[in-house]
Amino acid sequence: MIRRADSIIIVSDGLSDPFEDDDDVFVPRGHLLEVCIEAPLAAFDGAPVQASWLFDVIYQVSQNVADHGSIDLLLQRHGSVSMALDLQDAPKALEDENEQVGVLLAQGAATLPPAFDTPYGEVMLLTVIVLQPAELAYISEAEDKAQSRRDLAAALTAEPMGHWSVAERPAVIPR
């Protein structure tokens, strides 16, 4: 966790740790990435970060990244990745008709680096942005999902809140 003057950044821990896979081949940087989410201090209402729905977002995204194993390749190919999560205690305004919360993962943000160095080499830093239900539907209904994610990422970063995950904000639908 990183506390800034007006926000908190929750960062995964361990996705880039070295490990040996099933073939006993040493992978020096694990999954080659870590994930983070930034939200205003008000989103935590003074409660411990670990008790927040935002912490659950990072936990679940981390589990998905670890399970998939090649999110870095999807990001290189498509520029961003989206997923729907079953969160505990998510704000109802963020849940779609299936009671899931959408997120968008992209590399870097205006105030966050796209990568950082480790003793084993460079590791990508993926920014997770919580989506409004209409934004998740925009991606789901698009013929070119990769382009819709890129357009949405650009529209979100152009907003005043940028990459911050905020429960109650107007949906940003690119035209």
Side-chain angles (χ1 to χ4, degrees):
M1 177 184 79
I2 301 165
R3 185 179 173 117
R4 291 183 166 175
D6 53 357
S7 68
I8 291 179
I9 303 171
I10 305 170
V11 185
S12 62
D13 178 26
L15 291 173
S16 61
D17 287 354
F19 68 87
E20 294 181 23
D21 67 12
D22 295 336
D23 299 323
D24 293 327
V25 176
F26 183 68
V27 179
R29 291 174 286 166
H31 291 288
L32 304 173
L33 57 88
E34 295 290 345
V35 295
C36 71
I37 193 167
E38 187 168 7
L41 291 175
F44 300 94
D45 291 328
V49 171
Q50 296 83 349
S52 74
W53 65 273
L54 292 155
F55 187 87
D56 192 24
V57 169
I58 287 300
Y59 174 78
Q60 287 198 36
V61 169
S62 296
Q63 295 301 306
N64 277 286
V65 167
D67 187 51
H68 187 277
S70 299
I71 296 288
D72 60 315
L73 299 177
L74 288 174
L75 283 157
Q76 290 171 7
R77 182 174 177 191
H78 300 293
S80 61
V81 173
S82 58
M83 58 181 74
L85 306 171
D86 291 313
L87 298 178
Q88 300 219 359
D89 302 320
K92 294 297 178 198
L94 291 176
E95 292 181 341
D96 67 6
E97 66 276 0
N98 299 315
E99 297 182 349
Q100 294 184 312
V101 175
V103 295
L104 182 69
L105 287 73
Q107 192 174 4
T111 61
L112 297 171
F116 58 91
D117 290 325
T118 72
Y120 297 105
E122 188 174 81
V123 171
M124 290 191 310
L125 181 61
L126 303 183
T127 303
V128 177
I129 302 173
V130 174
L131 300 175
Q132 296 295 317
E135 295 164 343
L136 182 60
Y138 171 77
I139 295 169
S140 299
E141 295 165 4
E143 284 187 39
D144 186 344
K145 292 181 184 0
Q147 186 61 51
S148 68
R149 285 190 300 269
R150 285 190 295 272
D151 293 344
L152 185 57
L156 286 166
T157 56
E159 288 293 305
M161 296 301 282
H163 65 276
W164 285 15
S165 288
V166 179
E168 295 189 21
R169 66 165 171 77
V172 176
I173 306 297
R175 300 281 174 226

